[in-house]
Amino acid sequence: MVSAARSFARRRLLTTAAALTGAAFLGGTAHAAETRKGAWPAQFPLPNGFQPEGITIGAAPFAYFGSLANGDIYRAALATGSGAVISKGLGAEHPTVGLKIGRHGRLFLSGGASGELRTVDARSGEIEKVYAVGGTFVNDVVLTPDAAWFTETYKAVLYKLVLGRHGAPVAVENLPLSGDWVQGDGFTANGIERTPDGSALLVVNVVAGGGGLMRVDPRSGTARAVDLGTAKLPNGDGLLLLGRTLYAVQQAQNAIDVFRLNAAGTKGTAIARITDPRFRIPTTAAVWGDRIYLPNARFDVEQPTPDTDYDAVAVHRV
């Protein structure tokens, strides 16, 4: 159930707090609370009780957020911070965790504990199709030219939603993970991105080596650990790649760790850590201009209610 999965996530966040002192210290620290007068809002509210987790921003200055509570999609204008629910979810058993918007206006949603992938027309809000993949927790998603790739938290597998003409979904395929992949007894895979050269996928594995990145061959499923030096991602969640700069949200640490990758994504160097007093366990990140936007998931709230407040914040790119 969604509530059980959410409780597990909170338990993991709280029990891993002890690992924070052992997490790698990244060379630079950027505090990004200051904003220019007259600028677009650097913080804006989301609906009370919404329980946000994922965020995506497309070719226009609008951010889309998914709800863990019921699967709703909320769209906010970055220029004003105002917004509205544009797609109703399927209910409490069908959360929206990660999400991405394609260039043809289609949203790709990870269904969490429902074991679903879903697609939504971002213009009409209509749920186009639901794919029951038999997953235990479909977590995050990244788009490539020919597919939407989804992580599975409790199984050593990725789900590939093959895309055809105009980005339309065609079929779902499973890609078993092998090589250096370590599947823990519980929560393992989380965020996903592409390598800078587009040849492979990068997947957060919070178990292997104390938490880090795996580079996955999208043809064979062979995973190899990315060399991040002494840096660890024990609380790694959403990933955001901008050129060769990778932003990895460390949710329970209220931080974003920033790495400079080589083109193939086999090696990364820690270059900065972004912190901000407005962070309340951010989970995922998306970019517009010189800003990175994140939803505050507030996983430290043990029992969210319809009145629990949520918001999104923006920080400057490194």
Side-chain angles (χ1 to χ4, degrees):
M1 295 175 62
V2 172
S3 59
R6 187 172 62 241
S7 296
F8 179 88
R10 289 199 301 272
R11 288 198 302 273
R12 174 165 179 82
L13 289 167
L14 297 174
T15 56
T16 54
L20 305 191
T21 56
F25 176 79
L26 303 183
T29 299
H31 297 271
E34 296 297 320
T35 59
R36 299 185 302 275
K37 285 187 178 180
W40 289 2
Q43 184 172 12
F44 52 85
L46 300 176
N48 283 0
F50 189 75
Q51 297 180 39
E53 208 279 355
I55 182 175
T56 186
I57 299 172
F62 295 91
Y64 297 81
F65 301 87
S67 170
L68 294 178
N70 55 20
D72 285 358
I73 305 299
Y74 181 86
R75 182 176 65 194
L78 300 181
T80 64
S82 62
V85 171
I86 58 106
S87 179
K88 294 298 293 181
L90 297 175
E93 302 300 319
H94 304 269
T96 295
V97 190
L99 72 164
K100 289 291 186 295
I101 187 167
R103 60 190 181 91
H104 298 288
R106 178 175 287 108
L107 288 160
F108 297 83
L109 314 181
S110 303
S114 70
E116 300 168 346
L117 322 177
R118 297 192 297 275
T119 59
V120 168
D121 186 324
R123 292 171 289 265
S124 67
E126 178 186 357
I127 298 175
E128 297 178 329
K129 192 159 184 179
V130 177
Y131 301 85
V133 295
T136 52
F137 197 92
V138 185
N139 198 320
D140 208 350
V141 56
V142 68
L143 299 180
T144 65
D146 63 349
W149 291 91
F150 297 79
T151 55
E152 163 60 59
T153 292
Y154 297 110
K155 295 180 181 179
V157 65
L158 298 179
Y159 304 117
K160 178 183 181 182
L161 180 57
V162 180
L163 304 181
R165 186 175 176 83
H166 302 307
V170 175
V172 177
E173 300 174 358
N174 289 4
L175 182 71
L177 300 175
S178 59
D180 294 342
W181 187 265
V182 177
Q183 184 64 36
D185 294 332
F187 198 98
T188 302
N190 206 325
I192 185 170
E193 252 292 1
R194 300 174 67 193
T195 58
D197 65 6
S199 65
L201 301 167
L202 298 171
V203 180
V204 172
N205 185 310
V206 300
V207 174
L213 281 179
M214 291 286 177
R215 181 185 186 276
V216 177
D217 185 319
R219 295 168 297 277
S220 67
T222 302
R224 296 290 177 236
V226 178
D227 180 4
L228 297 180
T230 59
K232 304 290 184 185
L233 298 175
N235 308 115
D237 199 328
L239 299 176
L240 173 64
L241 183 71
L242 302 177
R244 287 171 53 184
T245 303
L246 181 71
Y247 295 79
V249 182
Q250 295 252 52
Q251 46 166 272
Q253 300 183 39
N254 282 317
I256 309 169
D257 287 341
V258 188
F259 300 88
R260 181 70 170 173
L261 301 179
N262 62 4
T266 59
K267 182 179 176 61
T269 301
I271 59 172
R273 165 167 279 204
I274 301 172
T275 61
D276 193 291
R278 298 168 300 158
F279 284 171
R280 296 188 293 174
I281 308 187
T283 44
T284 50
V287 66
W288 182 265
D290 65 351
R291 287 180 170 185
I292 295 171
Y293 291 82
L294 308 96
N296 276 317
R298 303 198 65 191
F299 285 151
D300 56 332
V301 177
E302 191 63 31
Q303 294 294 334
T305 73
D307 295 322
T308 301
D309 68 289
Y310 294 96
D311 63 356
V313 298
V315 297
H316 290 290
R317 295 169 54 170
V318 171

